[in-house]
Amino acid sequence: MTVEGGRPNPLEFLDDEIAELKRANLYRPMRVLNSAQGAEVVVDGKTLISLSSNNYLGLTTHPRLKEAAIAATREFGAGSGAVRTIAGNMTLHEQLEMELAAFKHTQAALTFQSGFAANTGVIPVVTGEKDLIVSDALNHASIIDGMRMSKAPRVVFPHKDVAALRELLRAAREKGRADSGEPYRLILVVTDGVFSMDGDIAPLPGIVAAAEEFGAAVMVDDAHAAGVLGKNGRGTVDHFGLHGRVHIQVGTMSKAMGVLGGYVAGSQALRDMLIQRARPFLFSTSHPPAVAASCLAAIHVLLEEPELIERLWTNTRYFKGELARLGFDTGASETPITPVMMGDSATATKFSRRLFEEGVFAQPVVYPTVALDGARIRTIVTAEHSTEQLDRCLEAFGKVGREVGLVSA
Ligand SMILES: *Cc1c(COP(=O)(O)O)cnc(C)c1O
């Protein structure tokens, strides 16, 4: 095939690959949101109840965040104009990091453009060829990419399997480095705090105990726990009472905090070294003032409006309970992330399309994000949903579930 004008198209293979994805029901069309994010949204021109955002507390449209963004833009402009280490380090960035560190009860924190950038930034800085990374099998893609960018070898332990983790750590300490037999400088155990596709919580007390037994460090990625678990949404370390025993905490301000950005919280030395070496930090422009200011406002809301988190959990318990009563399999979820298991991708895709027609926005998650037979509709209720809205969603799930034969009665 040739493009118009008779020139050959070297990217022609993309057409074949797309056709193949479509044949396998693995092609993801992108919907267009025509409204603000919220419990009710307009998607492709249709008003729907959304179960698809990470906007757990409704902070994307919270008046305090919006006002903070507007005020910061008026005073400091639309962009920061440089990377942090050259001329783009503003008072707002520094203030945000001080307040994040205080919030997380750590010595220091450093923000990144996103949670993805935080993971790909921190892992190659703290690990290298003398070290070993030990990673949960279901860790987030950004952790996997961070490990790929590190020179350190890595091993994977079965999902949440603390006994298997202990055995790996024991063997690593006994045998030492594969190349030289020298002891590892650092063994870093990495886990999601809340797993993003299943909504289950990492067994952090067991992981920390195993790491301490073998002198390893622990890194937890709390993207889905920040604003959701722990006092005022401080995350899994707070949830389990493990302050001071987890060395690296990654978080995102893009989910429950309602804005954008990632951070690494830990020791002062960790922050100092990241500023020297973390490539997404060094080579990519810092957040616009509006982002830093609204993230600061989000921390203040977490501290001053804890009823939002209570409402989130009330809605979560209600929605999960009713889905189970209808006969749906919601997997291993323990958090507001509630997967509704579908099995194959064709069912998941069809189910989501039918929900859309019934006024509910809930997206399918298919391979390669989850296993081929693990296709699901992933739902997240928020603090903003009314019981009436949740009931309308449940009615739609029941109706479509009966249609496709996933539930009876
Ligand atoms: C969403 C997510 C990220 C990425 O965060 P962004 O701020 O959206 O880049 C990282 N880790 C986990 C576990 C996530 O769920």
Side-chain angles (χ1 to χ4, degrees):
M1 204 176 39
T2 55
V3 293
E4 227 172 309
R7 287 182 302 278
N9 176 10
L11 295 183
E12 192 185 316
F13 64 90
L14 292 179
D15 298 333
D16 301 335
E17 289 181 2
I18 289 167
E20 185 46 49
L21 287 175
K22 286 184 173 165
R23 259 197 302 281
N25 266 308
L26 295 174
Y27 184 81
R28 306 151 200 243
M30 203 155 61
R31 300 281 194 185
V32 180
L33 196 61
N34 317 119
S35 66
Q37 192 63 267
E40 195 169 274
V41 291
V42 183
V43 180
D44 293 336
K46 192 170 153 72
T47 301
L48 305 160
I49 304 169
S50 174
L51 295 173
S52 283
S53 83
N54 299 316
N55 185 26
Y56 289 99
L57 303 173
L59 296 197
T60 56
T61 51
H62 194 290
R64 287 175 73 179
L65 274 72
K66 293 202 290 185
E67 286 311 315
I70 292 163
T73 304
R74 287 230 164 82
E75 188 173 358
F76 297 108
S80 75
V83 302
R84 294 276 296 276
T85 48
I86 296 184
N89 185 34
M90 295 175 138
T91 313
L92 280 169
H93 298 127
E94 293 279 332
Q95 192 188 339
L96 174 58
E97 287 162 352
M98 305 257 282
E99 295 200 19
L100 276 171
F103 181 69
K104 297 291 284 184
H105 300 319
T106 56
Q107 272 181 1
L110 191 73
T111 58
F112 287 76
Q113 295 81 0
S114 67
F116 202 106
N119 276 329
T120 54
V122 67
I123 295 173
V125 170
V126 295
T127 62
E129 57 228 320
K130 296 180 185 153
D131 310 313
L132 178 70
I133 309 172
V134 186
S135 169
D136 185 283
L138 293 188
N139 275 344
H140 190 259
S142 55
I143 295 178
I144 295 169
D145 283 13
M147 294 193 294
R148 285 180 179 153
M149 289 179 194
S150 167
K151 292 200 176 74
R154 57 181 183 270
V155 284
V156 171
F157 62 97
H159 182 50
K160 290 179 53 165
D161 189 339
V162 173
L165 169 65
R166 279 188 79 252
E167 281 319 302
L168 281 173
L169 293 174
R170 178 198 304 284
R173 278 302 178 214
E174 265 169 27
K175 293 188 195 132
R177 287 165 57 185
D179 52 0
S180 63
E182 297 275 307
Y184 289 106
R185 180 187 67 168
L186 169 71
I187 300 179
L188 180 67
V189 182
V190 186
T191 183
D192 278 19
V194 170
F195 290 86
S196 50
M197 293 302 138
D198 293 278
D200 50 345
I201 303 173
L204 213 51
I207 289 174
V208 165
E212 286 174 351
E213 187 178 342
F214 297 101
V218 177
M219 166 172 155
V220 61
D221 174 357
D222 256 349
H224 280 286
V228 175
L229 285 177
K231 188 166 190 301
N232 300 96
R234 284 181 169 81
T236 47
V237 171
D238 189 84
H239 173 74
F240 287 116
L242 293 168
H243 287 293
R245 296 170 70 187
V246 171
H247 309 83
I248 302 173
Q249 295 185 60
V250 169
T252 180
M253 301 178 284
S254 325
K255 288 173 177 153
M257 284 174 67
V259 192
L260 172 72
Y263 58 86
V264 176
S267 69
Q268 186 64 46
L270 177 64
R271 180 179 191 269
D272 291 347
M273 200 60 197
L274 289 172
I275 294 171
Q276 307 310 307
R277 291 276 188 272
R279 292 169 70 82
F281 185 86
L282 287 168
F283 297 106
S284 187
T285 298
S286 54
H287 281 150
V291 169
S294 41
C295 288
L296 269 165
I299 298 176
H300 303 159
V301 170
L302 288 178
L303 291 170
E304 291 160 32
E305 300 179 35
E307 60 275 12
L308 287 173
I309 299 178
E310 279 163 38
R311 176 85 200 147
L312 169 68
W313 280 95
T314 304
N315 279 347
T316 297
R317 280 188 290 270
Y318 177 71
F319 192 66
K320 271 191 208 305
E322 293 299 300
L323 278 173
R325 222 168 47 81
L326 285 167
F328 286 103
D329 173 8
T330 57
S333 170
E334 309 167 78
T335 65
I337 300 173
T338 305
V340 183
M341 307 312 275
M342 298 280 142
D344 61 291
S345 58
T347 307
T349 308
K350 175 171 178 209
F351 203 104
S352 170
R353 194 173 59 239
R354 283 288 299 117
L355 285 175
F356 192 92
E357 289 160 8
E358 296 293 326
V360 175
F361 185 42
Q363 291 280 61
V365 180
V366 300
Y367 179 84
T369 308
V370 293
L372 261 175
D373 61 355
R376 63 200 63 186
I377 304 284
R378 177 167 172 270
T379 69
I380 297 184
V381 300
T382 73
E384 279 191 312
H385 287 94
S386 66
T387 307
E388 193 264 322
Q389 286 172 323
L390 295 180
D391 284 339
R392 272 157 60 201
C393 294
L394 290 160
E395 202 177 306
F397 265 92
K399 181 174 175 188
V400 178
R402 286 187 294 274
E403 265 174 39
V404 304
L406 215 57
V407 296
S408 50

